[in-house]
Amino acid sequence: MTTAETSTDTPHIVICTTGGTITASTTPEGAVVAGDSDPATQAMLDELRAVLPEQIRVSARAVIDADSSTFGPAEWDLLVDAVADVLSDPGVSGVVVTHGTDTLEETAMALDLHHDDPRPVAITGAQRPADHPEADGPANLLDAVLLAADPVSRDLGVLVVLGRAILQARGVRKWHTTDPVAFARNSPEHPVEDLPPELERPTLPGRARFADTRVDVIACPPGADAVAVRASVDAGSRGLILEGSGSGNLPPLVADAVAQLADDRPDIVMVVSSRVPRGEATPAYGGRGGGAELANRGVLSSGYLRSGQARVLLAALLSVADQAPADDAAAAVATEIRRSWPKYHLYS
Ligand code: ASP
């Protein structure tokens, strides 16, 4: 979709604002409060325009105004729609989303799964509020806009830009609660001396409706029992992300519950992920609760994704498959997702 207007010298970047620390302020008691941020958002945009090369045009669109710890599937839907709507204008060269860092990794994944347009989407935020004497938001926003305006960023999908780091969305996680270098990216295994590979990033065959599809993340620490799994099933979950240990192994009582569930409810898709920050979750170990034994039961592995992004991917696949008119039996949908999971290139 390269037009004379989008390819060149006078890029037009649309900034979708959603609140977060980048426009937050500090109360007299010292609490950082995001939301209700119109004046801070205006000041941020004025400051940006004052330093931006004049050939780059920016306009802003307020989508949400809140702390991202309040976001969930409904907000992901809203943002996917907003970005698609912005990009429906061929005169737009790229999009920047300003967002709280707490749940940025889920939103980035939701956007990237739908983003089959070559134009860049850069998502940024801040660790320090707008009224902090060393606020990091202004530099992050400038970096994100410059990146979104640069043709070199085309075809890379959604990019996370914070603390001078530029990361592809898939595999990204918040890895520090306060440091301005807030995010790191796990990726498929690669030789240590190489840069992380540019990801294969297949997009969805349709539009997911996250708010309609319940997928839960269940922490499975040592000694965990089946209570949380049962509660999640009772609440109507279509999928479970089971966060285990090591390369994706579950404690014995959870493993027993999972084996039972695999027999009783073939319509529920289960994925095992890991609490370990780096590397891939793969079906490596045998024995009760081992990843290989779980795989024999049809449990998928999250690969280089960690629980938050695996949840977004599974919810997206379930939602899109549910909408396919041809075969709407829930068990058939689940079987198709188990078959298609490797297409998302989660393992090396
Ligand atoms: N709690 C904030 C949020 O996610 C943190 C941040 O923006 O950095 O909105």
Side-chain angles (χ1 to χ4, degrees), residues 20-22 34 66-69 99-103 126-127 174:
T21 297
I22 192 165
D67 192 297
S68 81
S69 59
H99 197 290
T101 57
D102 284 8
T103 66
Q127 291 275 58
K174 186 168 183 179

Side-chain angles (χ1 to χ4, degrees), residues 131-212:
D131 57 3
H132 191 285
E134 290 169 43
D136 51 335
N140 286 342
L141 181 61
L142 178 61
D143 285 347
V145 170
L146 293 174
L147 190 75
D150 192 328
V152 82
S153 317
R154 289 172 71 87
D155 288 311
L156 292 176
V158 174
L159 299 168
V160 176
V161 184
L162 259 104
R164 311 317 301 247
I166 301 169
L167 305 164
Q168 284 190 280
R170 296 184 198 203
V172 146
R173 273 187 99 183
K174 186 168 183 179
W175 78 329
H176 201 289
T177 53
T178 54
D179 194 285
V181 186
F183 288 86
R185 193 188 120 206
N186 193 29
S187 65
E189 296 295 344
H190 57 92
V192 275
E193 63 275 10
D194 289 353
L195 283 171
E198 191 178 305
L199 291 176
E200 297 204 52
R201 35 173 304 277
T203 49
L204 298 169
R207 169 69 171 85
R209 292 286 154 200
F210 291 104
D212 301 338

